Amino acid sequence: MKHIYFLFLFISAFGFSQLSPPVQAQDNLVTIDKIKIYPNPVTENYFYVSTSENLSVKIFDVLGKLVAEREITPSKKEVNVSTLNKGVYLVKLKSSKQSTTRKLIIN
């Protein structure tokens, strides 16, 4: 009971009920939900991006370090990851007005 009372006081004191809703867009960009990367997990040296527009692809390791950067076009949808070690990465895909981030596993 003491924990619930403390939580109530904490929430009341800091006014968490008046927080604004989470922001879904960043830098006036709309999130792209229809883009897919495949195969995931990657077992060969490439993964592919399903897109009909030009995209900037940035690959980050789990520490947030940029480890690769590529450009994707509707005619060239493959990304070479042969220089990356096995592990988990974040792939940021960005067009002129949209962006999304996906998890990528390299085996």
Side-chain angles (χ1 to χ4, degrees):
M1 185 68 176
K2 291 181 183 178
H3 297 289
I4 295 172
Y5 182 71
F6 176 74
L7 181 62
F8 175 74
L9 288 177
F10 185 77
I11 291 172
S12 298
F14 290 102
F16 285 115
S17 61
Q18 296 183 16
L19 289 177
S20 59
V23 177
Q24 295 180 352
Q26 189 179 51
D27 300 328
N28 296 326
L29 296 176
V30 178
T31 301
I32 309 170
D33 292 326
K34 296 180 182 179
I35 289 185
K36 304 240 184 295
I37 58 174
Y38 60 93
N40 195 5
V42 176
T43 55
E44 300 295 325
N45 293 328
Y46 295 93
F47 72 87
Y48 300 88
V49 179
S50 65
T51 183
S52 59
E53 58 186 307
N54 295 341
L55 293 176
S56 163
V57 177
K58 294 182 179 181
I59 303 173
F60 298 90
D61 65 12
V62 293
L63 299 176
K65 179 182 174 189
L66 179 66
V67 294
E69 191 169 5
R70 310 280 190 270
E71 294 295 322
I72 296 292
T73 64
S75 62
K76 185 179 184 302
K77 299 179 180 187
E78 66 184 25
V79 178
N80 185 339
V81 292
S82 62
T83 60
L84 300 179
N85 294 325
K86 293 180 181 180
V88 177
Y89 295 88
L90 294 175
V91 178
K92 183 170 185 176
L93 305 155
K94 185 175 177 184
S95 71
S96 60
K97 295 183 180 182
Q98 300 176 322
S99 110
T100 190
T101 303
R102 300 280 193 260
K103 179 174 77 170
L104 177 70
I105 300 170
I106 299 178
N107 285 335

